[in-house]
Amino acid sequence: MKSVLVTGGAGFIGSHTCLLLLEQGYNIFVIDSFINSSSRSIKKVLLILKEMGIDAQRKIHLTNGDIKNPSDIEHIFKMSYKLDKKIEAVIHFAGLKSVSDSIIDPISYWENNVVGTINLCKVMEKYNCKNIVFSSSATVYKTESNKLLNEENICEPVNPYGYTKLTIERILKNLHSSKSSNWRIASLRYFNPVGAHHSGFIGEDPLGKANNIYPQITRVAIGKQSRLKIFGSDWPTSDGTGVRDYIHVMDLAEGHLSALNYLIKKKPQFIAINLGTGKGTTVLEFIKIFEKVNKVKVPFSFEDRRPGDNASVIADNSLAKSLLNWHPKRNIEDICKDGWNWQVNNPKGYLN
């Protein structure tokens, strides 16, 4: 396999995955609407590779497009044929991803995430490209305790974002089960992606309001935000704050390549796989580690719980370890160090 389409490839996880794909010699086609990302992330990816002695300029093709528009997707497939770089697989990141925003505006989430994926699958089928690694989420699970979540746990989301991810998984599973199907599909349910590439060249840079905890921590630490809001101090956890499984974005990116390599070597199938560390950290623990590692202070205040949140979300990652031979290599300290390195070197994100 030589050519891969990466939807949402200029985003946080997408850009880090593009880096690894290019490092391994793939041709990649990237489609991104840039509603919550920047094309500069791809330029930075090329700079990292250049420093490694790899000239990947001709191996990447970036298109400003939206998967809500089937013609934008088809344009890329036609381009790949013209360049004699036929797309053989897709890594699908594109979509909206805020739990709170999905509660406020569920229609946008169903349209972007579900309709967009249906458009993508239709074009893939038309061009006989039936290998896809899908960016799913741990929000598909019903969580009732602090036990590790495995792939057989009940899938019953508590917010519209999670429902869109679960719906897409079911569509993909139906595709695999359809008559005479030869789809190879991996749905990667990941937990809390954080951190940045160790170079400090690429990282998380949400446009506008940051919804995830980590960019908020770094923004507070650097003085761009006065304090961090912690939603809930009365969760049934060791210190009353929510427990999450924080996974380094580079471990996550490596998980996507492992899944892609697994799929192309195996018979057609649909698999759902958790990508997490298997270790839980409370919000307060995370803040303390961040402060210690980076010698900074992160002021915070407690707010009411948010609708759609859970007390504890931790992965059972044994299937990923056994099936994909994938293991997370980086710990919370690495996450805090690398993410802070990105923030300090890019105080304005990709606008620097």
Side-chain angles (χ1 to χ4, degrees):
M1 184 173 295
K2 294 179 181 178
S3 298
V4 176
L5 168 61
V6 185
T7 72
F12 176 41
I13 305 166
S15 58
H16 289 76
T17 304
C18 285
L19 172 63
L20 293 185
L21 286 165
L22 291 167
E23 189 180 346
Q24 293 199 11
Y26 285 90
N27 297 305
I28 61 172
F29 293 82
V30 175
I31 181 171
D32 204 297
S33 65
F34 304 118
I35 61 171
N36 196 32
S37 61
S38 170
S39 60
R40 294 186 184 186
S41 65
I42 299 300
K43 292 177 182 175
K44 293 288 189 79
V45 162
L46 292 173
L47 284 174
I48 295 170
L49 291 166
K50 191 174 181 181
E51 290 201 350
M52 296 167 62
I54 300 171
D55 183 2
Q57 188 76 49
R58 295 182 180 179
K59 285 188 167 292
I60 186 166
H61 307 274
L62 177 62
T63 298
N64 184 343
D66 195 320
I67 62 169
K68 294 199 304 296
N69 304 320
S71 59
D72 288 356
I73 306 167
E74 187 153 11
H75 167 75
I76 294 173
F77 275 85
K78 286 178 178 175
M79 186 200 311
S80 77
Y81 273 77
K82 240 179 228 184
L83 296 171
D84 197 25
K85 297 177 180 179
K86 178 186 172 185
I87 294 168
E88 297 168 87
V90 174
I91 301 181
H92 179 30
F93 295 107
L96 302 180
K97 63 174 187 177
S98 165
V99 167
S100 56
D101 286 351
S102 77
I103 294 169
I104 296 166
D105 185 12
I107 293 295
S108 290
Y109 274 71
W110 286 97
E111 183 180 22
N112 279 272
N113 296 0
V114 178
V115 175
T117 301
I118 290 171
N119 292 338
L120 174 64
C121 291
K122 282 181 176 179
V123 177
M124 287 177 67
E125 198 152 41
K126 180 176 179 178
Y127 287 86
N128 197 32
C129 173
K130 296 185 176 181
N131 304 303
I132 182 169
V133 177
F134 169 58
S135 164
S136 190
S137 167
T139 55
V140 302
Y141 290 120
K142 179 180 183 179
T143 60
E144 294 179 324
S145 69
N146 59 358
K147 291 181 181 177
L148 301 185
L149 292 162
N150 66 47
E151 291 78 4
E152 300 305 314
N153 271 87
I154 295 170
C155 288
E156 192 178 300
V158 294
N159 54 68
Y161 168 68
Y163 269 111
T164 65
K165 290 295 186 181
L166 183 58
T167 300
I168 293 167
E169 285 199 15
R170 287 174 173 166
I171 290 168
L172 293 173
K173 196 169 185 178
N174 289 161
L175 266 181
H176 164 66
S177 303
S178 60
K179 189 177 179 182
S180 303
S181 171
N182 56 349
W183 282 82
R184 291 174 170 83
I185 301 165
S187 184
L188 303 183
R189 296 170 178 169
Y190 34 86
F191 284 61
N192 285 70
V194 282
H197 189 263
H198 65 84
S199 66
F201 276 59
I202 56 174
E204 188 170 11
D205 182 31
L207 302 182
K209 182 184 70 173
N211 291 299
N212 299 335
I213 185 173
Y214 194 74
Q216 292 189 56
I217 288 176
T218 59
R219 285 178 178 186
V220 170
I222 207 168
K224 291 173 70 175
Q225 205 171 304
S226 61
R227 59 189 170 84
L228 174 71
K229 293 181 180 180
I230 299 176
F231 296 98
S233 59
D234 57 349
W235 292 103
T237 63
S238 60
D239 59 24
T241 62
V243 173
R244 295 294 181 266
D245 186 337
Y246 297 102
I247 178 171
H248 197 293
V249 65
M250 289 306 298
D251 282 327
L252 200 58
E254 287 166 4
H256 286 77
L257 264 69
S258 296
L260 183 62
N261 290 331
Y262 172 84
L263 284 180
I264 61 177
K265 292 174 184 174
K266 301 295 181 180
K267 66 181 182 181
Q269 61 186 289
F270 171 90
I271 49 171
I273 304 177
N274 288 340
L275 289 185
T277 66
K279 298 175 183 176
T281 306
T282 71
V283 173
L284 285 179
E285 287 169 343
F286 195 6
I287 292 169
K288 287 174 185 175
I289 294 169
F290 183 91
E291 290 179 329
K292 183 178 178 182
V293 167
N294 298 310
K295 298 179 174 56
V296 293
K297 283 293 178 185
V298 180
F300 61 85
S301 64
F302 290 110
E303 309 288 332
D304 292 339
R305 295 182 187 183
R306 292 179 299 188
D309 275 351
N310 291 296
S312 178
V313 186
I314 311 170
D316 177 343
N317 61 10
S318 55
L319 185 62
K321 288 178 177 178
S322 62
L323 210 60
L324 307 182
N325 193 28
W326 169 88
H327 297 77
K329 302 169 186 171
R330 301 155 183 93
N331 59 26
I332 292 286
E333 285 77 10
D334 296 323
I335 286 168
C336 292
K337 180 182 67 176
D338 292 340
W340 182 237
N341 185 38
W342 152 256
Q343 179 69 80
V344 168
N345 284 291
N346 304 273
K348 296 181 181 178
Y350 287 115
L351 294 177
N352 284 357

